[in-house]
Amino acid sequence: MIEVVDLGKKYGEVWALRPTRLRVEDGEFFSLLGPSGCGKTTLLRMLAGLETPTRGEIRHRGVRIDPVASHHRPFNLVFQRYALFPHLDVRGNVAFGLESQRIEAREVARRVEEALQLVQLQGFEARAIHTLSGGQQQRVALARALVNRPAVLLLDEPLSALDLRLRRQMQLELRALQKRLGLIFLFVTHDQEEAMALSDRIAVMDHGEIIQTGKPEDVYRRPRSLRVAEFLGELNRVDGQVVGVDSHSGWLRVRTASGWELRACARQGREPGSYAPGERVAVVVRPECLRPVSGSADAGNVLEAAVEERTFLGATSQLRLRFAGAGAPWLVDLRQGEASDRWEFEPGHAVALELEEPRG
Amino acid sequence: MAETDDRVPALRRLPAQLAWPAGFWLLAVLAVPLGWVVVTSFMARGTYGGVVAAWNLGNYARVVDGLYLKVLGHSLWLSTLTTMSCLVLGYPLAYWLATAGARLKPWLVMAVVLPFWTNFVIRAYAIKVSLGLAPAAWELQNSPLAVWIGMVSTYLPFLVLPCWVALERLDWSLLEAARDLGASGRRVLLQVLLPLTRRGWVAGMIFVATPALGEFVIPDVLGGARTLLIGNLVADQFLMTRDWPFGSALSVLLLAAATLGFWLERRLESSRSAQGSGGAKPRTPLRARLLAVPALLLLLGPLGVLVGQSFVGPGGLTWDWYRAALGNEAVLESLLRSLRVGLGSALLASVLGTAAALALVRSRFLGRPALEATAGISLLMPDIVLGLSLLAWFSSLGVRLGEATIVAGHATLSLPYVILGVRARFQEFDWSLEEAAADLGASRRRIFGKVVLPLLMPAVLAGALMAFTLSFDDFLVAFFTAGPGVDTFPMKIYSMVRFGVSREINALSSLLLVSTLVLALGLNRGLKLTRNLR
Ligand SMILES: Nc1ncnc2c1ncn2[C@@H]1O[C@H](COP(=O)(O)OP(=O)(O)OP(=O)(O)O)[C@@H](O)[C@H]1O
Ligand SMILES: [Mg+2]
């Protein structure tokens, strides 16, 4: 278990990471997710001991380790650009950490072999680094860190340099590896899909602070703020006023400015009962939670709009809709099974939309 | 990940003391002697050739005297002509170097560097021999053309190498963009290529112009000592007329030129626009290759003639010259001395220089700007200034001249090359490698020994090689610091050339040429120098 208490880093007068609290349990795959420049790397580098915190503590199994020099910490970092030693071959790179600890040569050889097996790079021992492909280099970097049997593996966007296919494949491998080894993986990414696919929990960061922590589903479905919601995927937003609370389901009833009535889920961290009737709220709807229906808008969560544009995206199509009267256009995802190519969805036609019942 | 020098993180900081040996050396064997020359330039000449402390500006007044202004004009003209010729001839060659395929490139590099690595006296001599093959009626011997060829072929590499580096770092997709936008080849050259590589060719021009200003041995050997240049004038004041104050004033002029060059280059460096290399390099156009041919001919032609001539005897092909050369003990002795001096000064320069470069990049200390300036200026300073300032300094201290003083002089000569070369490499060092090593449990000592040093080694070795070459090539510094009877190999050849051509020199030079070539190719193989340069 690692625990970060009040940890902050200032460069000059600017907080790269505002004093932050974070706790990661043993065996967790934990992702730090956030836009570029939000302080992910800074946090990771402080954990690795490569950057001195401006304030705060880092604890590992209850023991403070922030005063411990990098090379004595049981944490290993997989660098954003791998940082493989160009003058050493694959074996030399992987063995580097063990040799630093003066481990006996036979043991080193055995563990290097084991680590290379783990990342499926047997037979690459003598290859020079510059002869490896991006994906292979990434595995060497992984093996180089794992061979030391760290308590925590820190990964700084290790997949960002890979193409989509390889990336998917490496994601699966990483996840499997983590399950097998049972280590803490602290994984930095700015790809929300990647974070959600891999992690037990994620922390969403913005402007140097963690703005929400939780299971991927929770964070996705019940964001604590609009910023989190926006960062995790496309969304449609409509402003309205609380009308009341559905007593047995706990859903809020919200009426929008144009007179629609929607049922929505309370924000993470707030009791439905704490919303006073008349309170102004923003309701966000994910594009995949909307379904086109036949019939008119008489039931509660049905909206009517005109198709403005249809975009083919492969497995899905996306409609851009505009409501009479309402401001910003909305996005709706259609699965191919929903006959996304039907003429009703050509630009100019009117459609009725049903909101999926809120969950969670 | 560029980081300003004043914020070196603890992990990467190195002790400033590393700069002390080199700093001390440059102070004692460069700055103080130069200071002494400056002081002398304000003194007067004693009746019997010594200096007397009668402070005056008379020496400088004499410089602008009509007679000497003409000499100054000659030197300026020679320097300008050489610089412009080198630019026109050298840039296409640099372009070819940058765009050549992997197989051709090492050979082209060799073509540029080989003459650079052959003794300049030999080079001059080779030109003499080549021109001697032309019909006598053309009067090529001792002609301005001979001087021009000698100057250009000697200074060409100084221009080609920085241009090549700049072209290698060019973002070639900008060229494609220009083409794509409909620019003609001419416009691409004038409005894209030249502006983007300005750093390279302006630096190259500075590297040629400043030392060329003090050049006089090449015009002497090839032009038959017909025109008086600043260089001769300075040498005469120190060796013949014994008017040291006036000679010093002239040297101060050359030193000022070097300082100006350094300042210009500095400004160039700070005005550099951020630019990443990238884009696909085009195949070298035929036009560029054709334009590069004259430069290659100038660089290699004379050397080819020299080797060929070394087998020609009165009665056809012969080994006689080789036999004679290897039997000439005085020559062999000087050759051995040059090897000794070269190795000694290279060792000294590379150890001091590497340590200083480490400190310059990774620590802050008081004398840092001074150290950088001293190294930068002495790089541009004409050799004669170093030679005579050492002569003046050593003799005023009463140091006995000999092999040791040559080694000292040569170490000073090459120290800046090592410092600046290793520094450049170290500045490009990927700092995350050190972090990776620390993260993997390596102590600072181990990081330095296992990661930093091995990766810097090519630069250190290149610096040492450069130092050896400079020493082996040098005539002037040795000439002034050797003392009587202690001849280095270039000095020996110089005197042989002066007192009539001996065919032995052909043979000996060819031997040296071939050994240089083998050594260079071997090193290239072993160190993958050309690959690491990329
Ligand atoms: N050495 C430094 N000096 C000054 N500011 C820095 C330094 N390193 C990072 N910062 C600043 O701190 C902030 C956080 O940087 P950090 O590298 O942690 O971002 P990140 O979340 O990893 O971004 P990315 O996704 O682009 O990698 C940024 O605004 C950055 O400019
Ligand atoms: Mg980052």
Side-chain angles (χ1 to χ4, degrees):
Chain A
M1 178 192 75
I2 48 177
E3 212 178 348
V4 158
V5 184
D6 210 20
L7 188 71
K9 176 75 187 176
K10 234 178 175 177
Y11 288 114
E13 280 309 299
V14 188
W15 286 101
L17 183 72
R18 278 177 227 282
T20 295
R21 186 173 274 279
L22 180 70
R23 193 183 150 115
V24 183
E25 303 297 335
D26 282 339
E28 244 188 329
F29 197 120
F30 192 96
S31 291
L32 292 167
L33 179 63
S36 185
C38 70
K40 307 179 296 284
T41 298
T42 306
L43 176 54
L44 223 55
R45 287 171 56 83
M46 284 195 287
L47 287 170
L50 299 174
E51 211 79 67
T52 336
T54 309
R55 58 180 292 179
E57 296 181 5
I58 303 168
R59 299 208 191 102
H60 177 237
R61 308 214 160 109
V63 183
R64 265 190 78 164
I65 56 151
D66 44 295
V68 177
S70 174
H71 61 279
H72 294 308
R73 284 190 201 188
F75 295 2
N76 282 119
L77 178 61
V78 177
F79 285 71
Q80 196 158 354
R81 276 179 207 82
Y82 313 146
L84 296 173
F85 303 122
H87 60 301
L88 301 177
D89 57 10
V90 170
R91 182 191 288 113
N93 267 279
V94 177
F96 193 92
L98 299 176
E99 282 166 359
S100 299
Q101 297 165 39
R102 312 241 162 110
I103 286 176
E104 184 218 355
R106 209 135 29 97
E107 171 77 358
V108 170
R110 198 182 57 73
R111 276 169 68 177
V112 167
E113 198 189 311
E114 197 180 274
L116 287 176
Q117 212 153 20
L118 205 61
V119 296
Q120 297 169 20
L121 277 182
Q122 306 99 304
F124 282 74
E125 287 83 354
R127 288 278 286 272
I129 294 303
H130 70 100
T131 65
L132 299 178
S133 74
Q136 289 164 343
Q137 291 187 8
Q138 201 269 329
R139 288 166 207 231
V140 175
L142 204 58
R144 186 178 72 169
L146 284 172
V147 77
N148 306 295
R149 302 191 179 142
V152 179
L153 189 66
L154 308 165
L155 302 112
D156 193 356
E157 303 195 34
L159 307 183
S160 58
L162 308 183
D163 68 56
L164 194 64
R165 254 177 74 98
L166 196 56
R167 199 173 165 135
R168 291 263 179 276
Q169 184 194 340
M170 287 305 301
Q171 284 173 2
L172 294 178
E173 288 177 14
L174 268 184
R175 181 66 185 164
L177 205 63
Q178 189 265 343
K179 281 273 158 294
R180 188 136 47 98
L181 300 173
L183 308 177
I184 295 182
F185 271 37
L186 201 59
F187 185 87
V188 162
T189 176
H190 52 224
D191 177 342
Q192 69 277 6
E193 282 182 22
E194 183 170 281
M196 287 188 282
L198 292 174
S199 322
D200 295 316
R201 282 195 303 148
I202 61 183
V204 181
M205 298 180 66
D206 193 23
H207 287 103
E209 56 190 338
I210 294 182
I211 50 181
Q212 187 169 359
T213 313
K215 291 208 176 73
E217 254 202 27
D218 284 349
V219 179
Y220 186 74
R221 295 209 178 278
R222 301 192 58 197
R224 188 186 283 274
S225 66
L226 208 54
R227 280 213 321 251
V228 176
E230 275 166 355
F231 189 71
L232 288 184
E234 282 173 320
L235 52 78
N236 303 303
R237 170 187 170 161
V238 60
D239 294 320
Q241 279 180 315
V242 176
V243 179
V245 182
D246 225 48
S247 49
H248 64 272
S249 66
W251 293 329
L252 295 172
R253 283 186 293 125
V254 178
R255 192 193 309 279
T256 68
S258 50
W260 298 321
E261 199 170 296
L262 311 168
R263 276 179 294 171
C265 200
R267 198 179 77 176
Q268 173 94 317
R270 259 188 93 169
E271 289 300 316
S274 70
Y275 288 91
E279 186 177 337
R280 304 207 143 271
V281 290
V283 178
V284 297
V285 184
R286 296 274 177 215
E288 71 274 17
C289 297
L290 291 162
R291 231 169 333 114
V293 290
S294 43
S296 63
D298 44 21
N301 279 350
V302 176
L303 313 171
E304 258 183 7
V307 178
E308 215 173 56
E309 192 180 282
R310 183 171 64 185
T311 315
F312 178 68
L313 295 175
T316 62
S317 285
Q318 196 167 57
L319 297 183
R320 198 168 74 206
L321 307 176
R322 197 172 280 281
F323 296 99
W330 276 31
L331 301 174
V332 175
D333 283 348
L334 300 173
R335 280 169 290 277
Q336 294 309 22
E338 289 170 321
S340 59
D341 52 350
R342 274 178 12 201
W343 60 269
E344 288 105 295
F345 301 133
E346 292 293 329
H349 288 265
V351 291
L353 289 174
E354 189 181 53
L355 260 178
E356 264 181 24
E357 293 298 302
R359 270 179 285 167
Chain B
M1 243 229 266
E3 199 149 356
T4 47
D5 292 326
D6 50 345
R7 224 167 29 77
V8 184
L11 177 67
R12 305 185 272 247
R13 206 169 297 144
L14 289 169
Q17 285 89 315
L18 284 170
W20 289 1
F24 177 76
W25 183 273
L26 286 178
L27 193 69
V29 195
L30 181 67
V32 172
L34 286 177
W36 179 238
V37 166
V38 175
V39 170
T40 310
S41 74
F42 293 105
M43 299 213 248
R45 178 187 177 203
T47 336
Y48 302 107
V51 291
V52 289
W55 308 105
N56 68 92
L57 288 171
N59 300 311
Y60 289 96
R62 268 176 75 195
V63 172
V64 289
D65 194 322
L67 173 64
Y68 297 121
L69 269 186
K70 227 172 119 190
V71 175
L72 229 71
H74 279 308
S75 285
L76 269 175
W77 163 240
L78 184 67
S79 165
T80 311
L81 183 70
T82 306
T83 308
M84 295 320 289
S85 312
C86 283
L87 182 64
V88 172
L89 295 176
Y91 197 85
L93 182 54
Y95 187 87
W96 192 1
L97 259 174
T99 52
R103 260 197 306 170
L104 186 61
K105 191 171 271 186
W107 292 100
L108 280 178
V109 175
M110 213 48 72
V112 176
V113 175
L114 185 66
F116 199 36
W117 278 352
T118 31
N119 196 288
F120 96 96
V121 181
I122 293 181
R123 245 174 2 239
Y125 175 63
I127 293 165
K128 220 179 160 86
V129 172
S130 313
L131 292 178
L133 296 179
W138 293 6
E139 295 182 354
L140 292 184
Q141 293 274 22
N142 293 340
S143 68
L145 178 70
V147 176
W148 181 82
I149 294 177
M151 290 296 284
V152 172
S153 62
T154 299
Y155 285 95
L156 203 51
F158 290 101
L159 190 124
V160 172
L161 293 177
C163 286
W164 175 37
V165 171
L167 283 162
E168 284 284 359
R169 295 197 175 148
L170 183 67
D171 183 354
W172 289 88
S173 57
L174 294 174
L175 256 70
E176 284 167 7
R179 274 268 151 66
D180 182 58
L181 294 171
S184 62
R186 227 176 93 104
R187 272 194 66 196
V188 171
L189 175 68
L190 293 180
Q191 297 190 356
V192 184
L193 200 55
L194 286 179
L196 284 177
T197 53
R198 199 187 60 173
R199 210 172 122 64
W201 56 264
V202 178
M205 286 173 74
I206 296 172
F207 283 145
V208 174
T210 357
L213 205 56
E215 181 61 66
F216 69 97
V217 182
I218 293 171
D220 220 32
V221 176
L222 290 170
R226 272 194 247 166
T227 40
L228 197 57
L229 297 161
I230 306 183
N232 312 67
L233 202 55
V234 173
D236 285 353
Q237 302 310 312
F238 275 84
L239 300 175
M240 321 238 300
T241 333
R242 296 199 67 79
D243 186 349
W244 287 25
F246 182 50
S248 297
L250 289 167
S251 313
V252 170
L253 277 191
L254 292 176
L255 184 60
T259 311
L260 181 70
F262 171 71
W263 179 76
L264 283 175
E265 215 224 322
R266 246 307 162 73
R267 283 199 30 179
L268 201 66
E269 203 160 328
S270 57
S271 73
R272 121 181 86 175
S273 54
Q275 109 174 204
S277 57
K281 281 181 190 164
R283 263 176 55 86
T284 323
L286 187 63
R287 233 177 333 165
R289 291 177 205 222
L290 288 178
L291 286 173
V293 167
L296 284 175
L297 270 182
L298 276 180
L299 288 171
L300 298 179
L303 300 182
V305 171
L306 188 76
V307 175
Q309 285 289 301
S310 71
F311 295 106
V312 178
L317 295 184
T318 168
W319 285 102
D320 286 355
W321 307 120
Y322 285 88
R323 226 168 275 133
L326 294 175
N328 186 332
E329 289 202 356
V331 171
L332 287 184
E333 189 198 339
S334 71
L335 184 59
L336 278 179
R337 175 172 297 118
S338 272
L339 288 175
R340 270 199 308 273
V341 168
L343 286 175
S345 60
L347 190 68
L348 202 58
S350 42
V351 171
L352 296 185
T354 302
L358 292 174
L360 281 176
V361 178
R362 291 292 177 85
S363 67
R364 294 181 68 194
F365 51 94
L366 210 61
R368 201 171 85 163
L371 183 56
E372 278 177 337
T374 314
I377 292 172
S378 78
L379 199 67
L380 294 174
M381 203 169 63
D383 292 345
I384 184 163
V385 180
L386 177 64
L388 64 86
S389 67
L390 286 180
L391 171 65
W393 181 238
F394 286 148
S395 58
S396 68
L397 284 183
V399 174
R400 249 197 49 198
L401 300 181
E403 221 169 283
T405 45
I406 310 178
V407 171
H410 284 179
T412 308
L413 187 69
S414 45
L415 191 53
Y417 286 88
V418 179
I419 293 180
L420 299 179
V422 177
R423 191 187 67 163
R425 179 81 176 204
F426 200 30
Q427 272 167 341
E428 287 174 0
F429 197 81
D430 181 1
W431 296 15
S432 65
L433 294 178
E434 284 158 276
E435 295 182 342
D439 181 65
L440 292 169
S443 60
R444 290 190 50 172
R445 202 196 185 86
R446 192 170 140 81
I447 297 174
F448 187 76
K450 293 278 166 171
V451 178
V452 178
L453 214 52
L455 284 169
L456 286 184
M457 222 46 203
V460 175
L461 287 180
L465 206 61
M466 185 76 195
F468 179 82
T469 313
L470 283 171
S471 164
F472 200 69
D473 190 48
D474 169 75
F475 167 74
L476 275 174
V477 176
F479 184 65
F480 281 100
T481 54
V486 186
D487 278 358
T488 61
F489 184 62
M491 289 163 74
K492 192 84 203 161
I493 294 195
Y494 185 69
S495 61
M496 286 167 82
V497 172
R498 282 221 112 169
F499 297 111
V501 172
S502 155
R503 286 279 172 128
E504 288 167 43
I505 303 176
N506 286 357
L508 209 53
S509 308
S510 305
L511 275 180
L512 277 175
L513 207 62
V514 172
S515 23
T516 314
L517 189 65
V518 170
L519 185 75
L521 284 176
L523 280 171
N524 182 42
R525 260 283 149 89
L527 298 176
K528 309 253 183 316
L529 277 178
T530 35
R531 201 190 73 207
N532 279 329
L533 281 168
R534 303 227 49 203

